[in-house]
Amino acid sequence: MPGKLKAKIVAGRHLPVMDRASDLTDAFVEVKFGNTTFKTDVYPKSLNPQWNSEWFKFEVDDEDLQDEPLQITVLDHDTYSANDAIGKVYIDIDPLLSCEAATVISGWLPIYDTIHGIRGEINVVVKVDLFNDLNRFRQSSCGVKFFCTTSIPRCYRAALVHGFVEELVVNEDPEYQWIDRIRTPRASNEARQRLISLMSGELQRKIGLKVLEMGGNAVVGYLQCFDLEGESGLVVRAIGTACTLDKLIPGTESKEPVFSEDPPHPLSVPPTPLRTLPSSSSPPPFSPSKPCSRQSSSSDTDLSLTPKMGMGSGISVGKEAGPLKTLLRQQAQSALEQREFPFFTLTCFPPGFLVHIGGVVSARSVKLLDRIHNPDEPETRDAWWEEIRQEIKSHAKALGCHAVVGYSESTTICEEVCILSASGTAAMLNPRFMREGSVCVYSRFDDASPPSCGFCHIPYDEFNMPFPAQLTYCYHCRRQKVPDVLFTTIDLPAEAAVTGKGCLIQARLCRTKKKAQGEVNATAISNLLPFMEYELHTQLMNKLKLRCMNALFGLRIQISVGENMLLGLASATGVYLSALPAPGGIQITGKTPSDLSYDQHISTMQKRINDTIAMNKELYNIHPLECIEEVVGSPIPDRQRSRLFRSTSESSDELSELDLSHGKKDAFVLEIDDTDAVEDIQSLLTDAPMPAGFYSCNTEVMPGIYNWTSGLQMFTSVRVYRLSNANLTNQGLNKIFTDLCENLLKSLYFKLRSMIPCCLCHLNFTVAVPEEELIQVRRHTPKHTSPILYIFPKNILVRSGENEEQLQFSMELCGESTSSNNQPTAKPSVSSSERCSPLPEVRSRSLRSTRSLPCGAPVTVVKMTPLSFLPRTRIVKYLGIINMFFIRETTSLREEGGVSGFLHSFIAEVFAMVRAHVAALGGNAVVSYSMKECVFMENPNKNQAQCLINVSGDAVIFVRESDQEAIPPLIMSGQPSTTGADGTT
Amino acid sequence: MSMELDVFVGNTTIMDMEVYQLWLDGLTVSDAVKVRMDEGALLECEANAEVLTSDTMDQFRTFQMCERLLHSPTKLGSQLLYQIPAQNQRILIERYYEFDSVFAREVLGKKLSKGTKKDLDDISCKTGITLKSCRRQFDNFKRVFKVVEELKGPLVENIQRHFLLSDTLARDYAAIVFFANSRFETGKRKLQYLSFQDFAFCAGQLISYWTVGAVDVWEPNDPDMDVDLEKEFLHELKDLKVLVNDKDMMDQHKILVCAALRGKIKVYKLMEVNFKNLSRALINLASKLTHTKDVRDLFIDLVEKFIEPCRYDRWTVAEITLFLTHYTNAAHCLGTFRYQMIWDRYMGVIKSCILQMYHE
């Protein structure tokens, strides 16, 4: 009996009226944990009951503590009939099980009902007394810390990074059990919520055990997903990176090198090359003024070959992908080799951790869910994932890398077809982080590659390249080879040298497919996938060139299946890495040069493209050191360069003659004869530029902008479109899809126009094509009645969830950021007044509130952000992981304002519940927040809708940098709740 | 292709106060979009009509969802559903409770019950304010009235405490509640020229000087101290009749006033002739105030018996000011007049009301 859980029900407020006659409620509370239930007294005739109950004590195993949620049900007492449930609160006890996280959960929590939404609030206090259990064979893993953050958490130091942990649990979905035919929707929803809560508890416990086995004490980059497989079950799976973390003593971390990478610190940020080159602390061994001349590197990239660059040999659906080169560098670390999967879910690393990056590796596989032999057991799914991971591993090897970083897994399910996807970035890591006893991890890696470019250097053998690419000497250090473009799934390393600013780049694609069943369907999808990946890649490459950039970070490719179409959406942040060669322009050629009007058409297109490139250069402030290059000759002897791969495609000859505008630089050729190419060009040029004052990216930090303010605003936006049957062609669909995405972005810019200058960070798009069956709510509706919808009842759900809005002060020139580093120049008065004003303001308000409102305790402001940090603040404590799952259903859709009104209030409710739980833990922010799942189903004819949302994040306490000196003593004295006094907004 | 669902939710609720005003004005989404287009919203951020419609719909939905909370503004601060910065909360509440004085003028003094609500259609037609906005304003009046009706203590403070309104707005509401409670007649044609502000000023005067709370220190047992006129005071006003009933005193009063005003006002002659009528009007008005019916007619009586005769004789405001000042002061010099306190309390309010209501 190693744990005692204590709960106390204090009071309720804003309860709904349950008795129409008296307009009041006779409320009481049931507190349930495991199979034990306690009840409070009935507090008669009040909407603001004061129960002030005794402490309800549950003596339980710590295994149960990890698995079970504390379940609080508020009911209305009824003498004559059954008591009516008002709503429930599920409390995850997990944060209380680690001594370093929260110690108490205390505060107002919304009472939630799956049919009515939030119905008042309840004030509870929950504590846990843990007894030490030294049993070696224990099943629990209390004390292992979990972080959603995909970097080493800010107030910890990574002593050791152990590696990949994964787990998967399966259960029957209550929604598909026979009993669901007779129980109420509410009971069914609650059963589902409870089950998922239990399963994620179990999953976390099992992962924790694995971590303990490995000798770690924490999981970083914890990513948990649900697969609603329907009939075959409900899968909850998670991956993460096991680490041993040491807590830093508050106040000293600024001296720790790990945190010097902190992007919001303008001081530690890599300045633009303009400034670094002459004054860098680790000057490149070659003089910076000796880059190779452009003439000599004028080999061009063949269109048809380039896609392999980013993808590795990514596609492997039913057929073997690409020739795998068993090309392993001699320095492969034994530490990593021992591991089954040298994968890391981290996207941001301590300095020195990342040595080289190979490129993106990805694998997809199409599976049929109805072929699972024993659906209730996890074996089959385990085997599926095992397969995919093996493939990723071999792709990484082919790229000469021994590890995969920024690793993630996802699924998309359409009826019985399920696509499993995994992707990551092949990389070489510094083995010191993986070895036992490597305390001095911060000593510079002896390879001595400058940190600002070292990661770009190729890990593979240049004579034995896994794919044709064009290599040049690094433009930064001149010593090692770099590829011409670099695609990755990780965040831009903080020490990387960047020219200009970054921007969001998206590739969008729609492909129709025949409606089919079972194996035929799966084969059709498998056959389409490689083409989709290829086209997405081409689009990305074109858009990258058009913006005059040479690297992509945070690449996420999502492919979703619908009944008769496939959707692909790739998002990434484009950057100009100073170490990589300047990208060539885009060249359009036609195959029928005889036609004069055709020529004209081409040249106007070419002109538009060239204009766009020039404009983008200005927009993103990309001005590489070209002039210097021309003055000084090539530092690299010719015989070395002769080894470079040269593509000898037909177009390269043409190019030298047709080269109109980009001098002798290599260009990217688009042949216009191809209908695909026309489409490509169309999509290239239809991308509307961002309005002035806006920046957007899908990574944690915006490359090239370092002067953040602490004002941030997280939002979620969901859109559903219904396609009419008229648009059946690929082109038509593509256009619609692109327009939808563009319009969504436009809407966002418009909404946030009052915050200019601002940057949309961590812009995370999710698309889905809800299947026909799911458009109808629940299984009670066998037939769809509306004939128009029945023909092509396809919804595209474009969710740009987790969009992050950040106010920041714009800088005219990047070069200035170092000179005026700590205070923004644009509007300093505004920012300072914002920071100073809260105190007097609060005081005047509280004066007033003392005489005005009795229940006016101010609500703690809780910030939510998908980033792992809050700019200009310091996280002083991690309080535990937030992982919540909600179902909301309505049978009065019209009355709730239609689908939009329904979903709007549900999302607002989810936010409110997350905030309330964080506040109850004593926190004032959620970092690494993400809305993992948002499944929406509706049946307007029946006036019904249902929505499932899963959110996760890390609850933290942060302090503003200005008042951090005052705060640490408070933390030490164990009053975390008092630190929530950040007063602003 | 059609948009089925379009939702935008921020952790901190984003609100455009210009759109809020359009919503408060009761515009439909498409009308609001038109207004925004005319105001040049499309020029910002390369927006198009679709973007604007989507934004407007979204904002309107947000306001609609917040409306429930705005009905009890104190809840807005403690609710957890929307994270709204305190500054915005204040603006939301203040704007929600703001009203068109044209509208307020129409319902002033009327019973705030369901019967009147049917008249909202007429008011909407007459004032050009949308029905939706009329309904909101009317419901606000009714809500404030219902809450403060039962409360003890100073009216303005009660309104401020329960509805978190600014001082000026709370005073306007106090006037509305006061008028609705005493049911003053304001609808007669002769009163049509008076604006809401005129009446609000008078209400302020009445609340400040003629109610229980005006003289006494607040005691817990006093019911409705600000809402009702002090009974005792109204009763004592009967004593002022002596000024017209006692012929000597009336003559004496006239001599004193004439002496003071001679050569100072152009309408002296007319004043001299009319003095007894004017004095009688004011004194009779005072003595009748014990009857509820006559209290209700206070303003119409003032207009008919005093203001109209003066206006007929083309008195200027300055002349009326002088006359009323000396008329009040002269009574103090009457040796046999014993009701100085009552007189001052009565004439102070009457004077400022007349001056406010006298439009040249």
Side-chain angles (χ1 to χ4, degrees):
Chain A
M1 194 101 35
K4 195 190 268 178
L5 172 69
K6 300 188 294 181
K8 181 181 170 135
I9 309 299
V10 184
R13 67 180 182 191
H14 308 332
L15 292 190
V17 170
M18 298 299 281
D19 180 3
R20 282 282 153 77
S22 65
D23 266 4
L24 289 166
T25 297
D26 306 319
F28 71 101
V29 181
E30 273 183 13
V31 187
K32 190 177 174 193
F33 189 84
N35 294 318
T36 320
T37 308
F38 292 103
K39 279 182 191 174
T40 66
D41 297 332
V42 174
Y43 193 93
K45 305 214 177 308
S46 171
L47 298 182
N48 299 295
Q50 304 290 320
W51 291 290
N52 263 319
S53 77
E54 58 191 296
W55 284 101
F56 299 121
K57 294 180 182 125
F58 303 87
E59 296 184 331
V60 280
D61 285 339
D62 48 0
E63 190 181 328
D64 286 340
L65 277 177
Q66 284 195 293
D67 288 6
E68 295 264 354
L70 179 68
Q71 192 179 324
I72 294 170
T73 314
V74 185
L75 298 113
D76 176 53
H77 176 76
D78 207 324
T79 324
Y80 304 108
S81 58
N83 298 327
D84 295 325
I86 295 174
K88 288 192 177 208
V89 181
Y90 291 94
I91 301 177
D92 182 10
I93 310 298
D94 212 57
L96 298 180
L97 302 180
S98 162
C99 52
E100 279 170 45
T103 51
V104 65
I105 295 173
S106 164
W108 290 102
L109 300 172
I111 303 166
Y112 180 74
D113 179 70
T114 58
I115 305 293
H116 294 102
I118 291 179
R119 303 172 100 190
E121 290 127 34
I122 187 169
N123 195 336
V124 294
V125 187
V126 183
K127 285 180 177 174
V128 173
D129 288 337
L130 266 188
F131 314 122
N132 262 336
D133 183 14
L134 300 173
N135 180 4
R136 281 206 307 131
F137 304 103
R138 63 180 183 166
Q139 288 298 300
S140 78
S141 55
C142 288
V144 174
K145 296 177 284 288
F146 285 81
F147 301 93
C148 294
T149 302
T150 56
S151 57
I152 301 301
R154 302 271 154 161
C155 45
Y156 290 92
R157 194 185 65 112
L160 216 55
V161 181
H162 300 278
F164 191 61
V165 279
E166 48 78 32
E167 190 57 75
L168 181 147
V169 291
V170 186
N171 211 310
E172 211 180 329
D173 192 338
E175 187 103 352
Y176 293 87
Q177 281 165 344
W178 69 268
I179 193 165
D180 209 52
R181 291 176 202 284
I182 51 168
R183 66 180 164 195
T184 62
R186 176 181 283 121
S188 160
N189 291 340
E190 281 171 5
R192 232 170 158 192
Q193 283 193 168
R194 201 179 113 75
L195 177 74
I196 288 187
S197 184
L198 263 172
M199 285 169 78
S200 34
E202 184 190 342
L203 193 75
Q204 227 167 302
R205 174 172 59 83
K206 285 185 169 169
I207 287 213
L209 278 172
K210 288 190 175 176
V211 173
L212 290 175
E213 246 168 63
M214 292 165 103
N217 65 0
V219 181
V220 180
Y222 185 68
L223 174 76
Q224 186 190 292
C225 294
F226 300 95
D227 298 332
L228 302 168
E229 291 182 353
E231 295 286 345
S232 62
L234 179 62
V235 176
V236 186
R237 60 192 162 78
I239 53 174
T241 307
C243 294
T244 304
L245 297 183
D246 291 343
K247 187 146 173 61
L248 294 167
I249 302 121
T252 58
E253 48 268 62
S254 51
K255 288 157 204 151
E256 294 286 344
V258 172
F259 293 91
S260 66
E261 55 158 350
D262 207 4
H265 289 284
L267 267 176
S268 60
V269 136
T272 55
L274 254 170
R275 294 193 147 260
T276 9
L277 287 182
S279 65
S280 169
S281 55
S282 56
F286 288 99
S287 158
S289 55
K290 288 192 280 179
C292 54
S293 84
R294 288 177 299 150
Q295 254 134 328
S296 50
S297 61
S298 66
S299 67
D300 48 11
T301 317
D302 191 306
L303 173 66
S304 64
L305 294 173
T306 34
K308 296 259 167 149
M309 171 66 219
M311 297 303 167
S313 39
I315 310 118
S316 68
V317 198
K319 62 185 174 86
E320 192 38 64
L324 298 181
K325 299 245 169 77
T326 49
L327 175 112
L328 269 167
R329 291 280 287 270
Q330 291 308 304
Q331 57 189 107
Q333 271 77 33
S334 59
L336 278 171
E337 298 231 303
Q338 283 163 10
R339 290 198 186 115
E340 194 187 5
F341 297 113
F343 297 170
F344 300 86
T345 52
L346 304 178
T347 58
C348 205
F349 307 91
F353 187 88
L354 206 59
V355 183
H356 300 307
I357 293 176
V360 169
V361 285
S362 76
R364 286 182 211 282
S365 129
V366 182
K367 299 289 179 191
L368 284 169
L369 292 173
D370 51 4
R371 302 294 163 84
I372 304 174
H373 291 306
N374 41 352
D376 296 343
E377 295 300 320
E379 276 81 18
T380 317
R381 283 92 164 185
D382 273 337
W384 289 352
W385 285 111
E386 166 90 21
E387 215 173 85
I388 290 226
R389 288 171 194 144
Q390 285 295 357
E391 207 173 302
I392 288 278
K393 193 179 168 184
S394 63
H395 290 338
K397 273 188 181 171
L399 285 170
C401 295
H402 53 73
V404 176
V405 293
Y407 179 73
S408 65
E409 295 175 347
S410 63
T411 57
T412 162
I413 296 171
C414 177
E415 287 176 20
E416 73 285 346
V417 175
C418 173
I419 302 184
L420 312 182
S421 324
S423 70
T425 305
M428 303 253 301
L429 303 179
N430 186 337
R432 284 164 193 257
F433 283 90
M434 265 66 73
R435 264 185 228 129
E436 213 58 63
S438 58
V439 188
C440 52
V441 283
Y442 305 115
S443 65
R444 275 276 163 256
F445 191 42
D446 35 62
D447 187 33
S449 288
S452 56
C453 67
F455 69 92
C456 308
H457 301 163
I458 51 162
Y460 36 84
D461 187 346
E462 61 175 286
F463 303 109
N464 241 333
M465 288 203 299
F467 46 81
Q470 187 188 353
L471 299 183
T472 44
Y473 275 92
C474 173
Y475 276 57
H476 200 267
C477 68
R478 304 278 160 215
R479 290 199 302 181
Q480 305 215 15
K481 295 285 177 65
V482 292
D484 53 348
V485 279
L486 191 62
F487 283 17
T488 73
T489 58
I490 57 168
D491 278 336
L492 180 71
E495 60 271 19
V498 172
T499 304
K501 299 189 185 79
C503 79
L504 180 77
I505 291 180
Q506 274 195 330
R508 301 133 185 163
L509 191 68
C510 244
R511 281 288 168 267
T512 51
K513 104 180 155 53
K514 288 251 162 54
K515 203 167 169 175
Q517 296 292 315
E519 207 144 337
V520 185
N521 194 21
T523 316
I525 294 170
S526 304
N527 291 339
L528 270 174
L529 280 177
F531 295 101
M532 292 196 63
E533 297 238 24
Y534 172 81
E535 277 187 44
L536 282 173
H537 186 272
T538 315
Q539 259 191 51
L540 281 176
M541 192 65 101
N542 286 345
K543 290 189 178 182
L544 191 68
K545 300 251 178 213
L546 196 70
R547 282 167 180 79
C548 197
M549 294 176 180
N550 57 18
L552 284 181
F553 286 90
L555 177 67
R556 295 271 173 283
I557 299 180
Q558 196 204 349
I559 292 194
S560 19
V561 205
E563 211 153 70
N564 47 13
M565 70 169 84
L566 283 165
L567 274 186
L569 182 68
S571 314
T573 303
V575 185
Y576 186 105
L577 283 176
S578 312
L580 265 47
I586 297 173
Q587 205 66 52
I588 303 177
T589 62
K591 275 195 174 158
T592 46
S594 51
D595 190 348
L596 199 71
S597 65
Y598 189 71
D599 273 351
Q600 230 162 14
H601 177 62
I602 286 179
S603 64
T604 45
M605 282 249 234
Q606 180 70 57
K607 190 171 178 310
R608 273 177 72 191
I609 286 179
N610 293 346
D611 289 350
T612 317
I613 291 179
M615 197 187 74
N616 280 334
K617 266 191 174 179
E618 282 305 314
L619 186 64
Y620 302 115
N621 212 353
I622 297 169
H623 301 292
L625 310 159
E626 286 171 283
C627 38
I628 311 170
E629 287 176 34
E630 277 171 336
V631 179
V632 188
S634 161
I636 304 159
D638 265 332
R639 60 190 156 78
Q640 270 189 33
R641 194 171 313 103
S642 62
R643 287 183 195 159
L644 293 175
F645 279 84
R646 278 171 178 274
S647 78
T648 51
S649 72
E650 203 185 334
S651 58
S652 68
D653 300 325
E654 255 181 295
L655 176 69
S656 50
E657 295 158 301
L658 286 172
D659 204 349
L660 299 169
S661 60
H662 290 277
K664 295 116 197 165
K665 267 188 281 184
D666 39 344
F668 199 65
V669 183
L670 286 178
E671 280 186 87
I672 201 139
D673 267 7
D674 198 344
T675 44
D676 279 354
V678 174
E679 211 181 300
D680 284 340
I681 292 164
Q682 286 305 333
S683 65
L684 272 180
L685 295 171
T686 48
D687 267 13
M690 274 176 293
F694 276 107
Y695 305 96
S696 61
C697 63
N698 75 336
T699 49
E700 292 239 315
V701 285
M702 176 71 185
I705 296 175
Y706 308 110
N707 39 349
W708 304 95
T709 68
S710 55
L712 49 91
Q713 159 75 347
M714 184 277 302
F715 56 83
T716 296
S717 180
V718 181
R719 285 190 175 189
V720 175
Y721 299 88
R722 189 174 296 277
L723 298 178
S724 58
N725 50 355
N727 311 292
L728 261 178
T729 60
N730 281 341
Q731 269 96 337
L733 282 174
N734 265 344
K735 175 138 180 26
I736 288 169
F737 186 36
T738 307
D739 286 350
L740 298 185
C741 293
E742 285 293 320
N743 254 332
L744 182 58
L745 281 172
K746 263 189 199 161
S747 274
L748 296 184
Y749 295 141
F750 183 74
K751 283 240 179 243
L752 304 167
R753 67 197 183 286
S754 62
M755 299 177 172
I756 286 178
C758 83
C759 176
L760 298 149
C761 291
H762 226 284
L763 204 61
N764 189 354
F765 277 73
T766 311
V767 293
V769 195
E771 55 200 291
E772 197 179 286
E773 245 69 38
L774 283 181
I775 292 167
Q776 302 155 6
V777 177
R778 303 171 71 87
R779 62 272 151 225
H780 311 302
T781 51
K783 276 272 175 341
H784 212 294
T785 45
S786 162
I788 309 158
L789 305 180
Y790 203 37
I791 305 169
F792 294 105
K794 287 298 161 241
N795 290 355
I796 298 173
L797 177 78
V798 177
R799 172 160 67 90
S800 72
E802 301 92 72
N803 299 327
E804 172 71 10
E805 202 292 339
Q806 292 197 308
L807 263 183
Q808 53 88 36
F809 296 105
S810 70
M811 281 294 167
E812 252 58 69
L813 289 165
C814 280
E816 274 176 18
S817 61
T818 40
S819 57
S820 59
N821 48 19
N822 38 20
Q823 278 306 316
T825 51
K827 298 187 268 182
S829 57
V830 176
S831 73
S832 60
S833 70
E834 262 165 16
R835 231 174 295 135
C836 303
S837 60
L839 274 174
E841 199 178 305
V842 164
R843 210 168 289 138
S844 65
R845 236 189 321 141
S846 63
L847 260 178
R848 189 166 169 172
S849 62
T850 44
R851 72 179 170 117
S852 59
L853 35 147
C855 56
V859 179
T860 323
V861 173
V862 176
K863 301 208 167 196
M864 290 164 77
T865 168
L867 305 180
S868 64
F869 64 95
L870 289 130
R872 286 179 179 265
T873 60
R874 203 166 55 92
I875 292 168
V876 289
K877 191 171 183 178
Y878 280 82
L879 298 164
I881 199 167
I882 296 281
N883 191 352
M884 298 167 104
F885 178 82
F886 299 102
I887 300 177
R888 179 87 150 79
E889 180 163 349
T890 184
T891 48
S892 52
L893 190 58
R894 273 188 293 278
E895 293 76 2
E896 292 195 39
V899 282
S900 297
F902 169 71
L903 195 64
H904 191 137
S905 56
F906 183 38
I907 294 175
E909 281 169 349
V910 169
F911 285 178
M913 286 185 278
V914 170
R915 285 196 300 261
H917 277 86
V918 171
L921 285 167
N924 55 7
V926 191
V927 295
S928 299
Y929 165 83
S930 76
M931 189 177 278
K932 299 268 186 47
E933 211 80 55
C934 179
V935 184
F936 181 76
M937 292 157 273
E938 59 155 327
N939 183 352
N941 300 319
K942 285 214 156 193
N943 209 12
Q944 291 175 329
Q946 189 190 29
C947 187
L948 293 79
I949 286 184
N950 173 225
V951 293
S952 64
D954 294 325
V956 299
I957 302 174
F958 74 87
V959 290
R960 270 159 218 287
E961 272 175 357
S962 49
D963 42 50
Q964 59 177 252
E965 286 77 20
I967 295 302
L970 282 173
I971 301 299
M972 304 301 271
S973 58
Q975 293 173 299
S977 53
T978 55
T979 57
D982 69 306
T984 44
T985 63
Chain B
M1 180 191 72
S2 61
M3 183 111 75
E4 287 266 304
L5 186 159
D6 180 12
V7 165
F8 176 97
V9 193
N11 179 37
T12 301
T13 309
I14 294 180
M15 291 169 172
D16 185 327
M17 288 306 160
E18 283 166 31
V19 184
Y20 185 48
Q21 195 55 54
L22 297 176
W23 178 75
L24 288 176
D25 291 343
L27 269 65
T28 60
V29 171
S30 53
D31 286 344
V33 169
K34 255 178 240 150
V35 172
R36 294 183 79 185
M37 276 191 189
D38 293 343
E39 284 169 0
L42 288 186
L43 305 174
E44 293 177 273
C45 289
E46 289 144 42
N48 54 33
E50 200 181 328
V51 165
L52 203 61
T53 311
S54 145
D55 179 61
T56 312
M57 291 237 281
D58 208 74
Q59 298 265 356
F60 271 41
R61 194 167 47 235
T62 308
F63 300 134
Q64 215 167 326
M65 289 200 278
C66 288
E67 191 169 15
R68 191 174 47 86
L69 296 165
L70 287 167
H71 290 167
S72 45
T74 47
K75 264 191 194 166
L76 194 66
S78 66
Q79 55 87 29
L80 301 175
L81 193 53
Y82 304 103
Q83 188 159 279
I84 306 168
Q87 173 65 27
N88 275 8
Q89 285 187 20
R90 249 169 280 152
I91 299 175
L92 277 183
I93 296 169
E94 189 78 7
R95 293 251 184 107
Y96 189 77
Y97 281 91
E98 266 169 18
F99 53 82
D100 294 301
S101 40
V102 192
F103 175 80
R105 175 68 187 83
E106 290 295 321
V107 292
L108 204 58
K110 282 184 187 150
K111 211 172 173 183
L112 296 173
S113 65
K114 273 187 184 153
T116 320
K117 202 160 180 175
K118 286 176 193 129
D119 304 337
L120 288 180
D121 276 332
D122 299 339
I123 300 178
S124 171
C125 284
K126 191 175 164 190
T127 58
I129 301 164
T130 60
L131 184 64
K132 201 169 158 252
S133 178
C134 286
R135 195 141 281 163
R136 185 196 95 240
Q137 298 182 32
F138 185 78
D139 288 345
N140 283 345
F141 294 166
K142 203 166 129 185
R143 194 176 312 111
V144 173
F145 182 78
K146 263 196 166 174
V147 168
V148 279
E149 194 183 29
E150 307 292 319
L151 291 171
K152 291 160 182 164
L155 187 56
V156 177
E157 264 184 58
N158 277 341
I159 293 172
Q160 269 185 303
R161 186 185 315 152
H162 283 89
F163 293 94
L164 309 175
L165 302 178
S166 68
D167 198 54
T168 26
L169 195 54
R171 277 175 203 285
D172 282 349
Y173 268 92
I176 290 159
V177 169
F178 186 76
F179 267 76
N181 187 59
S182 303
R183 307 273 309 284
F184 286 104
E185 177 58 65
T186 63
K188 288 262 168 66
R189 179 178 295 182
K190 284 180 177 170
L191 293 175
Q192 284 307 314
Y193 76 99
L194 290 168
S195 70
F196 170 75
Q197 270 69 30
D198 293 333
F199 282 116
F201 175 83
C202 297
Q205 290 291 313
L206 294 173
I207 293 169
S208 307
Y209 299 104
W210 283 10
T211 56
V212 184
V215 278
D216 289 5
V217 182
W218 181 69
E219 279 172 42
N221 294 335
D222 289 339
D224 295 347
M225 55 173 290
D226 271 358
V227 185
D228 286 335
L229 299 177
E230 192 189 354
K231 289 261 154 52
E232 212 176 314
F233 165 70
L234 295 179
H235 197 75
E236 284 169 347
L237 283 175
K238 279 192 186 302
D239 296 335
L240 298 178
K241 270 202 147 170
V242 72
L243 281 172
V244 284
N245 288 349
D246 186 330
K247 195 163 184 308
D248 289 345
M249 203 182 271
M250 195 170 179
D251 289 339
Q252 187 74 31
H253 196 185
K254 182 182 170 182
I255 290 164
L256 285 168
V257 174
C258 288
L261 292 178
R262 191 186 309 264
K264 287 186 183 160
I265 53 173
K266 280 187 187 162
V267 286
Y268 180 77
K269 277 265 156 53
L270 292 165
M271 187 276 288
E272 206 174 9
V273 175
N274 277 334
F275 180 83
K276 285 186 182 172
N277 286 336
L278 292 173
S279 182
R280 198 168 284 131
L282 293 176
I283 304 297
N284 281 341
L285 192 64
S287 60
K288 282 197 302 178
L289 285 176
T290 39
H291 306 290
T292 324
K293 164 92 180 49
D294 291 306
V295 172
R296 284 185 191 170
D297 287 340
L298 174 67
F299 296 104
I300 186 76
D301 283 349
L302 275 176
V303 168
E304 284 180 348
K305 305 273 167 56
F306 190 91
I307 294 173
E308 282 190 343
C310 290
R311 205 187 293 157
Y312 186 79
D313 291 341
R314 296 179 182 277
W315 290 48
T316 63
V317 174
E319 285 164 346
I320 289 190
T321 316
L322 265 178
F323 170 75
L324 288 173
T325 313
H326 289 288
Y327 176 75
T328 311
N329 292 344
H332 291 288
C333 307
L334 298 170
T336 46
F337 186 63
R338 292 178 294 132
Y339 313 104
Q340 315 283 4
M341 288 272 283
I342 306 286
W343 175 247
D344 278 350
R345 190 174 169 190
Y346 174 70
M347 277 313 292
V349 171
I350 288 295
K351 184 185 153 194
S352 41
C353 285
I354 287 175
L355 292 177
Q356 178 74 33
M357 291 162 70
Y358 191 82
H359 297 192
E360 280 179 51

